[in-house]
Amino acid sequence: MKEDCSEQRHTILKAHLQNSMNHHQKAPKIPQNGKYPPRHQDPALNPKFQNQTSPNSNKNWSRRRGRGGRKSDQGDAFTRPSSRPCTAADKPVTSEDRIAGAIVPAIPSVCAQNGGSLVKFQSSSRSCNFAQRPGYGQLGTRCIVKANHFFAELPQKDLNQYDVTITPEVASRTVNRAIIAELVKLYRESELGMRLPAYDGRKSLYTAGELPFAAKEFTVKLLEDGDGTTCPKREREYKVLLRFVARANMHHLGEFLSGKRADAPQEALQILDIVLRELSTKRYCPIGRSFFSPDIRAPQHLGEGLESWCGFYQSIRPTQMGLSLNIDMASAAFIEPLPVIEFVAQLLGKDVLTRQLSDSDRVKIKRALRGVKVEVTHRGNVRRKYRVSGLTTQPTRELMFPVDDESNMKSVVEYFQEMYGFTIRCTHLPCLQVGNQKKANYLPMEACKIVEGQRYTKRLNEKQITALLRVTCQRPRDLENDILRTVQHNSYNQDPYAREFDIQISEKLASVEARILPAPWLKYHEAGKEKDCLPQVGQWNMMNKKMINGMTVNRWACINFSPSVQDSIAKGFCSELAQMCQVSGMEFVPEPIIPIYRARPEQVEKALKHVYHAATNKTKGKELELLLAILPDNNGSLYGDLKRICETDLGLISQCCLTKHVFKISKQYLANVSLKINVKMGGRNTVLLDAISCRIPLVSDIPTIIFGADVTHPENGEDSSPSIAAVVASQDWPEVTKYAGLVCAQAHRQELIQDLYKTWQDPVRGAVSGGMIRDLLISFRKATGQKPLRIIFYRDGVSEGQFYQVLLYELDAIRKACASLEPNYQPPVTFIVVQKRHHTRLFANNHRDRSSIDKSGNIMPGTVVDTKICHPTEFDFYLCSHAGIQGTSRPAHYHVLWDENNFTPDGIQSLTNNLCYTYARCTRSVSVVPPAYYAHLAAFRARFYTEPELQQENGSSGICNNGNKTKGQRMESGVKPLPALKENVKRVMFYC
C-alpha cells in the first residue's frame, strides 16, 4: 500500500514538472559557482525587459561590471570552493529535478503552483536537504556566551508508539488524559508490564520498551464532573483500545545529531518532547508549548479584568551538542477569576451596581464575555460551569420564560427566588446567555464567577500591552536566574516520566563559543565635518555629519489635528524641524506653502483634501511634496485613516508627529524625524563604506538585488480579515540602501505569498505575466540600468514546519518571474529565513565584565553564534546585531535554506550584520536585517488600507496593489484587493 501511494505521488510530481518545462520551453542552467559568462555571451535581452533600460544602459553595464570585477579578488576568502562535496543545494540538476529552476525532492505537505492553481503533494517521510553548513565563521573577536539550552542525554531504550482509540469518542483532551491516567492506575502493574506511558491527549501513547501485547482493549470507568459536591457524580464507562503502531528509530536520531544523516527523525523528537511535557501538563495550565500558573509568580493586574500569569516555554531541539532542552520564561494575559459583576465594573471603568448600561456598554460586555467559562455561585457548594454565548438585550427584571408546555410564563427574578432562595438585586443589568440559541439559559451576572485559568486571546489595548511588557521586560541577569530556578523547580531528573524513558537533563546553561563581528564603517557627505563614521556599541549620531544624499523640499504644508497644540507652538515646532533638516544636509524651505491648517480628527479626509487643493492652487498646479501632521497622543484610527487617504488617494508623502514631542522638543527626536523625511523624499542618509568602494563580497562584483518578504496575519478572533503580504527590494546597487516595496491582500492566514508571480489572460494582450518579484526586478532595472545577476532573498515570519512549503513555492515563483522577463534568465538565488519568534536567549558569560556587555547588560551587538546550539547539519546562525535598550535582547535566527551563490559563513554573517547598520529610520543598528524589517513594516502599514466591513471570507489568492486591476487579475476567491498605491508612495510606505 505504501509503495502504491509513493508511486502515485511520483506520477503527480512528474506530471507537474513536465507542465512547468513545457511552459518555460527549456529549463535554463544554473551556474554552480555563482559566475556568469562574459557579457558578449549573454543572450539577447527580452524586448519587455529591454524596454525598461536607460539609454546609457550598455555604458553603465560595462563600467559597473568592470569596477566590480577589479574588487572580486578581495572576496576570495568569503566564497566557498566549488570542489567541496556535492549537496542537494548545488548538485547537477536534471530536467526531472526542476520546477522552473527549483530542485524538488519529495517534500512534506507541499503546495506548488501549476497553471494558476495549487497542487498538493502527499506527505512523505523523505525530507529535502536544505543548504548544508559549509563550515564555521572565523571573523570577529571570540568570546563565550551562555544560552538557555540544557543538554539532554539521548535515551538508550527503544521508544514505541501505540494508537489510542477511546469509545465513545471524547473531544476534550483533559477528559482523554483523565481516562488514560485511570487506565495506567488500574493496569500498570498487571497488563502494562510496569510501563509508565506518555500520552499526547489525542491518538498516540508512547512507552519506553514494548508493552506485553500488540493490541488490547481495556475498560475504564470515570466519574464525570457533577454539578457539585452535594450531588452524586455519574460514572461513565469507556473502552480504550491500544494498538502497536511503530518503533522510533533512536539510532537514526543519533546519526542525525552527529551529522551523519541530513533528515531529522521527527517521530523520535516528538516522543521525547511529549515525555518531557507530561508532568508539566499535569501541574500547570498548558498553552501551546508553554505552561502557566499563578503559583510560579504572583499574577499582575493589567486592567479591565485581566491579569498576567508567569510561565515557561519548553521544547526539545536537535543541536550540534546533541539533544537540547530550550527553556524560556513566558507571560500571558488571563481573565481574572472575578465575580462577573466586578469584572464588568473593571471592564467599563464605572459603577454598575446602580447605573444603567448604554448600548455601547452592552456590546463591550458581550464581546469580552463571549466564550468565557463561568461558574454559578448561588447554589452553595454546587459550582456548575457554563460557557457564555451572549448577553440579553433586556434587563433581568423584564426577562420571562415558559415554565411548562401550556406557555405559562415566569420571570427570571421569581424563578431564582423560588428555586434557590436567591434574591437578584441588580435587576437593571442584563443576564448572561449560556447554551445554544435553541435552548439558551439565563444566568444573572451577580450569580456567576469567572472560572480561573482562561487565557485572554482577544486584542489588548495600549495600557494593557504596556502593563504586560512591564512584567515581561527583565534584565538579562534576572531572566537567566529565573530560567535556572525554573529548571531546578521542574527537577527533570526526578520526573518519573523522564526517568522511565531514561532522559537526563543538565541543570546548567550551555556555554557556547561566539564571535563579535566588527561594525562597518558608514559613509556620510563630504560637506560634513565627519565624512565617515564607525559606530560604537551599535549606535552613533548625526552630529557633524550630513546625509550622503540630502533631498530638496520646496513645497510642504502642515495640518494640526491636536486641540491642545496652539498655532504658535505648532509653528515653532515646524520651524525647528525645518532647521534640523537643513543642518542634516537637506535643502528644506523654512516656511510652509500655506499657513498651518487646524482641523478636527473626525474630519481627517476633508482636511487633507482641503490642504492638498489649497497648496496645489497656491503653486499653480505643482504638487505638494510633503505633509506634516500633528496628531493627539491617543488618536485612535486617525493615524491609519490619514495614511490610507494620503497613500492611496492623494499620493501625498506624510510625516506624523505626536503632541508630546511637539511640546517637548528633543534634538534627538528632530534628527530622527529628519532622517525619515529624507528617505521618504527619495534620499539616502548613509551607506556602507564598503559598498561605495565595491568591497562587499558576493554583492559588489555583479548587479545584486536584495529582497525582503513578510506576511502578517490578522489577530486572533478576526476570522475573515485577509493576510497581508509585502515584498521590498533594493534599488540602488552597488549601495543596497534604498528599497521599493509592494503589498497585497491574500487569503486569511495564508503564509505562502500568492502574488510573487502571476499569469492571467487579458482579452487584448493574451497571456500576461506579473507579480511582485517581476515588478521589482523591472524597477531595479529602471533605477540602475542593470539587470540583477544575483538574488538574495530574506524571508521573515516562517516557522520551521513551513520551511519546505515556503521554499518550494516561493523559489519556484522567483524562477518563473525571472524566466518571464528573458529566456534563460535565471540568476542564482540565496534564500534565507529570518526568525525572531524563537526562544533562544544569549547571556554574557560574566555579567560583571563590563567589556563583554552593553549598557543594558546584554551581549555586545554583532555577537554571532553558529556552533553548539545551532542545527546539526544545516546552514543557520544566531546574530544579535543590535544593542539592548531594555529587557533581554533577542538574537535573530537566520536559516539559509537555499544557496546557489556559495556564501561562506563569514560572507553571509558579515553581510547580514553590516546591512543592519543601514536601517534608514534611526542611527542605531537594528535587530533584523533591514529588507525583512521593511517588509514587515510595509505589511503592517497595508493593514490600514483594508476596510473590515467590506472584507469577504474564504479567499485563496491575493492581489497586489501595484497598479490598476485588470479583468484577468480580479479576485476569484472573495479576498478584497487592496487599493492601488500611488507611484510616489511605493518606495516610501515602509519608512513612515
Side-chain angles (χ1 to χ4, degrees):
M1 185 64 186
K2 289 183 179 179
E3 292 178 0
D4 293 340
C5 293
S6 177
E7 183 63 25
Q8 184 180 18
R9 177 173 60 253
H10 178 72
T11 304
I12 295 172
L13 180 59
K14 195 168 182 180
H16 177 66
L17 293 174
Q18 291 172 349
N19 290 340
S20 298
M21 292 302 299
N22 292 337
H23 177 70
H24 293 287
Q25 298 176 353
K26 184 178 179 182
K29 293 182 179 179
I30 303 174
Q32 298 304 311
N33 56 6
K35 298 180 180 178
Y36 278 76
R39 184 170 177 261
H40 66 271
Q41 295 180 13
D42 277 3
L45 292 177
N46 184 304
K48 292 182 180 179
F49 209 1
Q50 193 172 17
N51 290 340
Q52 310 298 334
T53 63
S54 64
N56 298 322
S57 61
N58 291 337
K59 182 178 178 182
N60 291 340
W61 184 299
S62 302
R63 177 174 59 82
R64 295 202 172 189
R65 279 299 298 269
R67 182 170 61 179
R70 288 197 300 272
K71 300 294 182 183
S72 62
D73 58 333
Q74 300 183 33
D76 288 347
F78 290 80
T79 55
R80 303 204 298 270
S82 58
S83 59
R84 68 184 180 83
C86 181
T87 69
D90 56 22
K91 66 183 180 183
V93 182
T94 65
S95 60
E96 292 187 357
D97 288 329
R98 185 187 299 280
I99 291 184
I103 300 172
V104 186
I107 295 181
S109 305
V110 165
C111 297
Q113 195 172 22
N114 183 10
S117 60
L118 289 177
V119 177
K120 284 205 173 185
F121 301 123
Q122 301 296 322
S123 296
S124 169
S125 59
R126 295 174 59 194
S127 62
C128 168
N129 286 343
F130 296 135
Q132 299 296 289
R133 187 181 303 281
Y136 299 94
Q138 303 298 321
L139 286 182
T141 305
R142 295 185 179 275
C143 64
I144 299 294
V145 296
K146 290 179 286 187
N148 57 337
H149 286 246
F150 298 84
F151 176 69
E153 191 170 328
L154 192 67
Q156 301 301 315
K157 297 181 179 180
D158 289 332
L159 306 184
N160 298 272
Q161 179 181 355
Y162 291 83
D163 180 73
V164 178
T165 304
I166 298 176
T167 309
E169 189 174 346
V170 178
S172 167
R173 280 195 180 192
T174 303
V175 176
N176 281 341
R177 289 185 183 281
I179 293 169
I180 297 301
E182 185 67 16
L183 184 150
V184 172
K185 179 182 175 182
L186 293 174
Y187 299 103
R188 181 184 179 189
E189 295 182 3
S190 54
E191 307 292 338
L192 300 183
M194 290 302 294
R195 301 290 183 201
L196 180 62
Y199 178 49
D200 69 355
R202 293 294 187 201
K203 290 287 292 179
S204 296
L205 181 139
Y206 305 98
T207 62
E210 293 182 350
L211 293 175
F213 52 82
K216 192 175 183 69
E217 186 173 81
F218 297 86
T219 300
V220 174
K221 294 180 180 180
L222 194 67
L223 290 176
E224 291 187 337
D225 255 346
D227 287 350
T229 56
T230 58
C231 299
K233 295 184 178 180
R234 187 174 60 174
E235 190 176 65
R236 189 162 188 180
E237 185 174 286
Y238 296 92
K239 300 290 185 183
V240 182
L241 175 63
L242 301 183
R243 183 170 53 85
F244 176 78
V245 174
R247 182 174 293 109
N249 192 335
M250 299 308 293
H251 177 68
H252 182 173
L253 177 58
E255 287 192 320
F256 170 71
L257 293 171
S258 63
K260 297 177 182 177
R261 295 187 65 150
D263 55 321
Q266 295 298 336
E267 299 85 356
L269 292 170
Q270 182 181 3
I271 294 172
L272 297 175
D273 196 55
I274 289 170
V275 169
L276 290 173
R277 294 171 59 82
E278 186 74 31
L279 189 60
S280 293
T281 301
K282 291 177 167 59
R283 286 178 174 175
Y284 307 114
C285 174
I287 297 176
R289 288 190 170 273
S290 298
F291 301 93
F292 296 92
S293 170
D295 300 326
I296 294 177
R297 191 189 298 162
Q300 301 292 312
H301 293 286
L302 301 179
E304 297 190 9
L306 302 185
E307 63 183 8
S308 69
W309 280 20
C310 184
F312 63 93
Y313 167 93
Q314 171 181 305
S315 176
I316 195 86
R317 301 187 60 80
T319 64
Q320 293 172 29
M321 68 178 182
L323 282 178
S324 162
L325 188 65
N326 182 201
I327 301 289
D328 190 22
M329 303 311 294
S331 290
F334 282 74
I335 304 172
E336 284 195 66
L338 300 169
V340 169
I341 282 194
E342 191 175 332
F343 173 84
V344 169
Q346 287 194 25
L347 178 70
L348 301 179
K350 65 182 182 182
D351 174 32
V352 296
L353 294 177
T354 57
R355 298 176 62 179
Q356 299 291 329
L357 299 182
S358 65
D359 289 340
S360 60
D361 289 338
R362 293 174 188 272
V363 170
K364 191 172 184 179
I365 296 169
K366 183 177 180 180
R367 286 177 178 171
L369 288 177
R370 182 182 291 159
V372 174
K373 272 188 179 180
V374 296
E375 59 184 8
V376 296
T377 59
H378 64 285
R379 299 176 61 183
N381 291 329
V382 177
R383 293 283 175 161
R384 190 169 183 180
K385 298 175 183 177
Y386 300 88
R387 193 174 294 277
V388 178
S389 59
L391 199 68
T392 61
T393 55
Q394 297 171 289
T396 304
R397 59 174 169 256
E398 297 178 11
L399 290 174
M400 307 285 290
F401 65 96
V403 292
D404 52 36
D405 295 336
E406 298 178 1
S407 298
N408 291 316
M409 306 295 288
K410 181 173 287 189
S411 73
V412 170
V413 174
E414 291 175 345
Y415 176 80
F416 273 81
Q417 183 65 56
E418 294 174 8
M419 188 72 179
Y420 305 111
F422 181 78
T423 302
I424 302 174
R425 302 184 186 280
C426 301
T427 58
H428 63 290
L429 295 177
C431 275
L432 303 179
Q433 288 180 301
V434 297
N436 54 42
Q437 292 181 345
K438 293 181 179 179
K439 189 180 179 181
N441 294 320
Y442 301 139
L443 289 178
M445 285 188 183
E446 60 193 282
C448 300
K449 180 178 182 292
I450 293 172
V451 175
E452 186 181 47
Q454 297 181 78
R455 189 183 178 189
Y456 185 77
T457 58
K458 301 180 180 69
R459 181 184 300 175
L460 299 176
N461 61 38
E462 289 187 13
K463 289 183 179 180
Q464 290 167 337
I465 292 172
T466 302
L468 185 59
L469 289 176
R470 196 179 297 119
V471 174
T472 59
C473 186
Q474 288 183 282
R475 292 290 187 186
R477 181 184 296 186
D478 297 332
L479 178 60
E480 179 184 330
N481 290 335
D482 275 0
I483 290 171
L484 286 170
R485 274 194 293 268
T486 298
V487 172
Q488 291 165 4
H489 180 265
N490 288 348
S491 188
Y492 294 100
N493 293 334
Q494 301 301 317
D495 180 340
Y497 295 94
R499 297 179 72 174
E500 171 77 12
F501 284 79
D502 198 19
I503 304 173
Q504 296 184 4
I505 307 294
S506 169
E507 292 191 349
K508 293 183 179 180
L509 292 159
S511 290
V512 185
E513 290 184 2
R515 291 168 289 114
I516 302 174
L517 301 178
W521 280 89
L522 303 176
K523 176 64 178 171
Y524 281 91
H525 198 279
E526 293 291 328
K529 290 183 180 180
E530 294 185 22
K531 300 173 180 59
D532 48 41
C533 165
L534 181 63
Q536 301 297 318
V537 197
Q539 50 193 313
W540 64 105
N541 57 51
M542 285 295 293
M543 288 180 62
N544 300 323
K545 304 176 189 68
K546 291 188 181 295
M547 302 157 177
I548 193 165
N549 295 118
M551 299 304 288
T552 299
V553 177
N554 291 318
R555 300 179 300 278
W556 62 278
C558 176
I559 299 183
N560 179 13
F561 287 104
S562 178
S564 60
V565 176
Q566 301 302 316
D567 292 345
S568 58
I569 296 176
K571 187 175 181 180
F573 173 79
C574 289
S575 177
E576 292 271 0
L577 180 57
Q579 186 177 350
M580 178 59 75
C581 289
Q582 292 171 346
V583 169
S584 300
M586 296 181 68
E587 292 185 22
F588 202 100
V589 172
E591 296 295 327
I593 200 72
I594 59 174
I596 296 174
Y597 184 74
R598 179 180 287 276
R600 295 201 301 271
E602 61 270 17
Q603 294 182 334
V604 57
E605 184 169 7
K606 181 180 176 182
L608 290 171
K609 290 183 176 179
H610 170 81
V611 169
Y612 176 79
H613 293 302
T616 305
N617 292 336
K618 181 74 177 291
T619 57
K620 298 181 180 179
K622 293 182 180 179
E623 291 189 349
L624 195 62
E625 293 172 327
L626 175 68
L627 176 70
L628 296 179
I630 298 173
L631 309 184
D633 293 333
N634 297 315
N635 54 71
S637 64
L638 175 59
Y639 177 83
D641 291 340
L642 184 146
K643 291 296 183 182
R644 173 176 52 80
I645 296 164
C646 286
E647 292 165 12
T648 65
D649 187 6
L650 301 177
L652 275 178
I653 305 300
S654 59
Q655 176 61 53
C656 296
C657 304
L658 293 177
T659 298
K660 61 183 178 182
H661 297 303
V662 173
F663 278 117
K664 187 179 179 181
I665 299 177
S666 156
K667 286 192 177 298
Q668 182 64 55
Y669 173 76
L670 293 177
N672 283 349
V673 173
S674 69
L675 294 178
K676 294 172 71 174
I677 290 174
N678 189 50
V679 292
K680 290 177 187 181
M681 303 310 298
R684 288 183 298 198
N685 299 327
T686 184
V687 297
L688 296 171
L689 189 60
D690 281 352
I692 292 287
S693 306
C694 289
R695 293 198 301 256
I696 303 179
L698 293 181
V699 172
S700 299
D701 55 341
I702 58 175
T704 299
I705 186 169
I706 301 181
F707 285 93
D710 190 23
V711 178
T712 63
H713 302 293
E715 296 191 10
N716 291 333
E718 296 183 26
D719 298 330
S720 61
S721 299
S723 291
I724 305 291
V727 180
V728 306
S730 59
Q731 302 289 295
D732 61 339
W733 181 84
E735 288 84 5
V736 292
T737 300
K738 290 173 66 175
Y739 291 81
L742 298 170
V743 291
C744 70
Q746 59 187 41
H748 179 73
R749 299 216 163 268
Q750 170 64 263
E751 183 58 46
L752 303 177
I753 302 178
Q754 300 296 293
D755 201 42
L756 288 181
Y757 175 72
K758 304 194 95 167
T759 58
W760 67 93
Q761 287 294 324
D762 185 88
V764 178
R765 295 180 291 169
V768 180
S769 298
M772 293 191 282
I773 296 292
R774 192 178 191 276
D775 290 347
L776 289 168
L777 289 171
I778 292 173
S779 177
F780 180 96
R781 182 61 179 266
K782 282 182 179 179
T784 65
Q786 308 278 351
K787 66 177 181 179
L789 296 181
R790 179 184 290 117
I791 294 174
I792 301 172
F793 197 93
Y794 286 99
R795 177 64 158 90
D796 196 5
V798 182
S799 64
E800 290 179 11
Q802 297 170 311
F803 280 2
Y804 295 114
Q805 296 95 317
V806 169
L807 175 64
L808 177 67
Y809 185 88
E810 296 184 4
L811 185 60
D812 180 40
I814 295 170
R815 295 282 185 229
K816 289 177 178 177
C818 293
S820 73
L821 291 168
E822 175 183 317
N824 299 328
Y825 175 55
Q826 288 294 311
V829 178
T830 296
F831 194 105
I832 309 157
V833 167
V834 187
Q835 293 176 306
K836 281 288 282 184
R837 292 185 177 182
H838 61 80
H839 289 269
T840 292
R841 301 291 182 270
L842 302 175
F843 307 100
N845 190 47
N846 181 1
H847 292 286
R848 295 188 181 89
D849 181 5
R850 293 293 179 183
S851 64
S852 65
I853 57 175
D854 61 20
K855 290 181 180 178
S856 66
N858 281 287
I859 55 175
M860 298 291 279
T863 301
V864 63
V865 170
D866 60 2
T867 62
K868 204 164 182 178
I869 60 172
C870 293
H871 194 278
T873 60
E874 293 170 10
F875 193 1
D876 70 327
F877 59 93
Y878 291 95
L879 172 63
C880 183
S881 53
H882 65 298
I885 299 177
Q886 59 180 357
T888 302
S889 298
R890 180 183 305 190
H893 184 217
Y894 296 90
H895 205 124
V896 183
L897 298 188
W898 200 258
D899 184 23
E900 292 164 347
N901 290 298
N902 290 334
F903 273 99
T904 62
D906 283 331
I908 195 64
Q909 291 166 13
S910 294
L911 172 63
T912 303
N913 185 59
N914 292 351
L915 286 175
C916 289
Y917 287 79
T918 65
Y919 185 66
R921 307 201 315 172
C922 62
T923 52
R924 298 177 65 94
S925 60
V926 289
S927 61
V928 174
V929 67
Y933 203 148
Y934 291 148
H936 174 78
L937 293 176
F940 187 78
R941 162 59 52 81
R943 186 70 59 185
F944 292 132
Y945 305 153
T946 62
E947 300 175 47
E949 68 277 6
L950 297 179
Q951 289 167 1
Q952 302 176 40
E953 297 183 38
N954 303 324
S956 61
S957 64
I959 278 292
C960 181
N961 66 348
N962 54 356
N964 295 326
K965 318 304 181 290
T966 66
K967 184 177 181 181
Q969 284 179 292
R970 286 193 192 124
M971 288 294 186
E972 297 177 358
S973 57
V975 175
K976 181 179 173 60
L978 297 173
L981 282 176
K982 298 298 182 181
E983 282 299 321
N984 64 329
V985 172
K986 292 179 184 177
R987 70 176 187 273
V988 302
M989 60 179 297
F990 42 83
Y991 292 128
C992 299

